[in-house]
Amino acid sequence: MTVVAAPVIAPPMSLLAELTHRCPLACPYCSNPLELEHTARELDTAAWKRVLSEAADLGVLQVHFSGGEPMVRRDLEELVRHARAVDLYSNLITSGVTLTEGRLAALIEAGLDHVQLSFQDVDADSAERIGGLRGAQARKLAAARMIRAADLALTVNFVVHRENVANVGAMIELAAELGARRVEIAHTQYYGWGLVNRDALLPSAAQLEAATAAVEAARLRHAGRMAIDYVTPDYHATQPKPCMGGWAQRFVNISPSGLALPCHAAETIPGMLFPSVREHALGEIWQHSEAFNRFRGTDWMPAECRSCALKERDWGGCRCQALALAGDAAAADPVCERSPHHQRVLAALAASEAPAPELVWRVNRR
Ligand code: FES
């Protein structure tokens, strides 16, 4: 690992532990890398426990156990128990399709604090077509009811795109019926397999406007009872989002094989070497690695970002999106109307007004 001198950096708030890329679903917007990590390369239990301890020592407050589907790891309970032992708040991000009462009880006994349960749609046929798993919707509904019966905090997540965006109002009502404290309506992000299917997934301006109106109406209906988070598609904005709260400022991801990444799509950036937690302590990586310092702060920014009054609000947007759309991770995010590559976003928006092409399905290879 190349080490660079840098001032002491505030610790990350959250660690995303991508325990595995194995997943029973095969969603066409999956943001995991095009080449999934093989099971044999996954970090073992001892390594994950060491990473959790190092994260707590660094000042991390929350760990999100994610994937793929983290429930396929048989050591999940042991990892949750360790997270509790080192005072990390633990969140399980799951599709819920493999959850059983016994497994849920074991996770709660180990100290699990919260579950984020994903749904692909309200309608079973549509949801199961997108997720690629017949019978998944009934299992997810059962999982939600088990979680609430156990009085565990529940967030329900819907990924929204052209095929299901008309159902946003019904999605929020389903989340309320299931007893969720929070529902996330998150438009698809276009990384990994999601980028392959962007023209089939990006909603039109009229679809987005209707969805936003449905969210605003639901916020009034559910005020004080259920929080509604709404993530709109970047492409329809004129200013970029502060992706990950700024590169290497608030979050650290650990890939299944142990690479430390400032975001889940960072591995797409060519020429960057991401350090492994197999070889380096997390604190050393966070403070000193070249990769984490590459786009931290504002010094790296191109002229149009450095002269912008919003540079410490949006942090230049998303590096992976700049790579995907401009071919250069160090360019301004093309979502920004000041970007010389903004035309590429406008072209994608024009495509969203045309009939959608067929979805291309991921074939899981392992
Ligand atoms: Fe990598 Fe936004 S997803 S910086």
Side-chain angles (χ1 to χ4, degrees):
M1 179 179 77
T2 306
V3 171
V4 296
V8 173
I9 310 294
M13 183 180 70
S14 299
L15 178 125
L16 185 76
E18 295 180 13
L19 300 183
T20 181
H21 280 158
R22 288 175 280 159
C23 185
L25 304 185
C27 303
Y29 46 71
C30 180
S31 61
N32 282 334
L34 296 183
E35 288 293 334
L36 300 176
E37 198 68 71
H38 196 277
T39 310
R41 292 276 306 145
E42 291 176 6
L43 289 182
D44 64 16
T45 310
W48 275 117
K49 287 166 79 171
R50 176 175 55 77
V51 168
L52 293 172
S53 294
E54 290 175 359
D57 289 346
L58 179 60
V60 168
L61 301 176
Q62 308 163 345
V63 56
H64 303 279
F65 292 108
S66 173
E69 173 50 69
M71 295 282 300
V72 305
R73 290 275 303 221
R74 301 314 301 174
D75 58 356
L76 181 60
E77 291 85 341
E78 189 172 347
L79 299 180
V80 167
R81 189 179 304 284
H82 191 76
R84 171 57 68 95
V86 297
D87 280 339
L88 290 171
Y89 181 93
S90 59
N91 174 33
L92 173 64
I93 300 175
T94 179
S95 67
V97 297
T98 62
L99 190 69
T100 61
E101 287 194 353
R103 196 92 200 268
L104 180 63
L107 287 164
I108 292 171
E109 190 275 327
L112 185 67
D113 292 296
H114 180 273
V115 178
Q116 179 180 315
L117 182 64
S118 67
F119 281 83
Q120 277 62 48
D121 205 339
V122 284
D123 169 74
D125 285 344
S126 164
E128 292 169 12
R129 172 181 131 74
I130 291 293
L133 182 66
R134 193 159 294 284
Q137 188 78 346
R139 290 196 236 167
K140 285 166 177 278
L141 292 169
R145 293 184 177 118
M146 271 186 253
I147 293 162
R148 288 307 300 129
D151 204 24
L152 191 59
L154 171 68
T155 292
V156 167
N157 165 276
F158 289 92
V159 175
V160 176
H161 45 81
R162 234 201 242 216
E163 287 197 11
N164 67 3
V165 68
N167 295 336
V168 160
M171 291 172 187
I172 295 170
E173 294 314 305
L174 176 59
E177 181 193 317
L178 293 172
R181 291 188 193 168
R182 179 174 294 274
V183 56
E184 287 181 359
I185 302 293
H187 280 267
T188 311
Q189 303 286 303
Y190 300 108
Y191 313 111
W193 209 257
L195 185 61
V196 173
N197 278 311
R198 184 189 63 196
D199 289 348
L201 295 169
L202 184 63
S204 69
Q207 285 180 310
L208 178 62
E209 196 178 324
T212 302
V215 168
E216 284 169 2
R219 279 184 170 146
L220 292 177
R221 279 198 306 280
H222 296 287
R225 293 192 299 275
M226 182 175 71
I228 302 174
D229 290 338
Y230 183 47
V231 180
T232 54
D234 296 9
Y235 283 56
H236 283 278
T238 52
Q239 288 173 353
K241 67 183 176 208
C243 192
M244 308 303 290
W247 179 271
Q249 295 200 45
R250 301 179 65 192
F251 298 96
V252 57
N253 284 23
I254 308 297
S255 79
S257 66
L259 291 183
L261 306 166
C263 69
H264 56 279
E267 282 182 276
T268 60
I269 302 176
M272 291 196 72
L273 288 178
F274 292 101
S276 171
V277 294
R278 294 181 196 270
E279 289 144 19
H280 303 280
L282 191 61
E284 179 191 340
I285 291 170
W286 179 256
Q287 295 284 346
H288 301 301
S289 69
E290 187 175 16
F292 276 65
N293 282 299
R294 174 67 181 87
F295 298 115
R296 196 175 243 153
T298 57
D299 289 351
W300 63 272
M301 288 181 172
E304 61 271 27
C305 295
R306 274 205 305 274
S307 62
C308 177
L310 302 177
K311 67 182 175 189
E312 291 190 345
R313 191 184 304 172
D314 63 35
W315 301 106
C318 177
R319 300 303 85 228
C320 302
Q321 192 149 269
L323 174 74
L325 291 172
D328 179 4
D333 188 332
V335 162
C336 181
E337 55 191 354
R338 296 174 55 149
S339 160
H341 303 285
H342 187 58
Q343 189 56 40
R344 299 187 188 177
V345 172
L346 298 181
L349 288 177
S352 77
E353 303 293 336
E358 287 292 313
L359 288 166
V360 180
W361 301 93
R362 185 198 275 278
V363 178
N364 287 341
R365 290 160 281 176
R366 59 178 71 88

